[in-house]
């Protein structure tokens, strides 16, 4: 009981610290742009719109991070078909995929695990979103479901720049972004997506592996247990 109380206290403490750290910059930027608009500089309106969108993204990611702490989620689990979940996630992201003219493929058969829609959609959605974000225009993304013994593998490969061993070692740190805000993709982010992925991996007692893809970019494989009593 004491360990649970301590863990809950630390989560709240870290969450407050993380919020103060990450929200400080966009809020300061909005104040500057608001001052510029008040001074008659209408160019500040566009900057404010971008700042608000970034702030909204950060808040959503932080709330998701808080919501996915691995406590009692397994009580909500039921049978889920990973193939159907993956197809839906691709459909949800297809506008972004099409905008970058990506070639995307999905291989594998239906595979059932115990899970819930929110955690699976967030986990797999974040990984697909990263692949789309960092794969250049006209690149390729491959998705695959693997049945192996008592495990189901969900794999995604891309033709992006990939990651070094040092970057992989840090990728699950909160607020860490490869290349910082100067990543060649030019994409903005909160640096929380992979931290959320790691917490959901813990909820499922799953395993995640990151390595070089045959396409030249990053390959991410998540191994789920098939048996419900393993989750």
């Amino acid at each position: 009981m004491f360990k649970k109380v301590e863990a809950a206290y630390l989560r709240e403490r870290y969450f407050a610290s993380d919020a103060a750290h990450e929200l400080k910059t966009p809020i300061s930027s909005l104040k500057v742009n608001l001052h510029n608009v008040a001074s008659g500089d209408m160019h500040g309106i566009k900057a404010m719109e971008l700042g608000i969108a970034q702030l909204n993204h950060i808040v959503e990611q932080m709330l998701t991070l808080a919501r996915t702490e691995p406590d009692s989620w397994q009580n909500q689990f039921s049978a889920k078909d990973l193939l159907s979940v993956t197809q839906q996630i691709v459909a949800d992201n297809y506008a972004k995929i099409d905008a970058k003219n990506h070639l995307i493929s999905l291989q594998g058969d239906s595979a059932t695990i115990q899970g819930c829609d929110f955690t699976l959609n967030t986990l797999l959605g974040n990984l697909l979103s990263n692949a789309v974000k960092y794969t250049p225009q006209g690149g390729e993304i491959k998705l695959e479901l693997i049945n192996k013994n008592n495990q189901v593998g969900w794999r995604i490969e891309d033709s992006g720049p990939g990651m070094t061993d040092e970057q992989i070692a840090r990728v699950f740190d909160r607020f860490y972004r490869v290349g910082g805000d100067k990543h060649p993709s030019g994409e903005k982010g909160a640096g929380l997506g992979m931290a959320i992925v790691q917490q959901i991996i813990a909820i499922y007692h799953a395993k995640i592996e990151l390595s070089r893809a045959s396409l030249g970019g990053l390959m991410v494989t998540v191994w789920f247990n098939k048996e419900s009593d393993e989750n």
Side-chain angles (χ1 to χ4, degrees):
M1 182 183 297
F2 284 123
K3 288 183 178 180
K4 288 184 178 181
V5 171
E6 181 182 16
Y9 167 74
L10 289 175
R11 284 199 300 270
E12 292 295 329
R13 182 177 177 180
Y14 290 148
F15 182 82
S17 176
D18 290 345
H21 173 275
E22 190 64 12
L23 297 178
K24 183 177 181 179
T25 299
I27 289 175
S28 297
S29 178
L30 283 174
K31 288 181 178 179
V32 172
N33 290 321
L34 181 60
H35 173 75
N36 292 339
V37 171
S39 301
D41 181 5
M42 292 299 101
H43 294 292
I45 294 178
K46 183 62 176 179
M48 286 184 65
E49 290 176 348
L50 294 174
I52 291 171
Q54 182 185 6
L55 188 62
N56 182 66
H57 175 70
I58 291 171
V59 170
E60 287 182 350
Q61 288 288 76
M62 293 198 70
L63 291 175
T64 301
L65 188 64
R67 187 178 175 186
T68 53
E69 294 290 354
D71 291 332
S72 305
W73 273 96
Q74 294 165 18
N75 295 331
Q76 307 176 42
F77 281 7
S78 60
K80 299 294 177 182
D81 177 18
L82 274 183
L83 180 59
S84 296
V85 172
T86 302
Q87 290 170 332
Q88 184 59 53
I89 290 171
V90 172
D92 292 342
N93 286 271
Y94 193 75
K96 296 178 181 178
I97 296 169
D98 186 55
K100 296 185 73 172
N101 197 29
H102 287 160
L103 174 63
I104 187 165
S105 61
L106 172 59
Q107 298 180 338
D109 300 321
S110 295
T112 302
I113 67 167
Q114 292 292 311
C116 72
D117 290 331
F118 174 77
T119 52
L120 284 176
N121 289 341
T122 302
L123 169 63
L124 307 183
N126 276 0
L127 294 175
L128 177 58
S129 178
N130 279 346
V132 174
K133 182 185 297 184
Y134 296 121
T135 299
Q137 192 82 16
E140 183 177 358
I141 297 172
K142 291 170 57 177
L143 294 162
E144 184 180 7
L145 289 177
I146 307 165
N147 278 282
K148 181 180 178 182
N149 299 326
N150 290 324
Q151 291 185 309
V152 176
W154 188 93
R155 176 171 291 164
I156 182 166
E157 301 182 58
D158 64 63
S159 61
M163 299 171 64
T164 65
D165 290 341
E166 291 180 354
Q167 291 168 339
I168 289 176
R170 293 196 58 195
V171 74
F172 295 110
D173 294 347
R174 294 185 182 192
F175 305 118
Y176 174 74
R177 296 192 72 220
V178 175
D181 290 329
K182 297 181 180 180
H183 193 279
S185 69
E187 297 278 358
K188 290 285 186 180
L192 291 171
M194 291 302 286
I196 293 170
V197 164
Q198 186 181 46
Q199 290 190 181
I200 298 177
I201 289 294
I203 291 172
Y204 280 84
H205 300 302
K207 295 179 181 179
I208 185 167
E209 301 170 351
L210 284 74
S211 60
R212 174 66 66 176
S214 59
L215 296 176
L218 185 67
M219 179 171 72
V220 181
T221 307
V222 179
W223 292 104
F224 297 97
N225 293 312
K226 288 183 181 178
E227 301 296 329
S228 61
D229 59 2
E230 291 286 319
N231 298 309

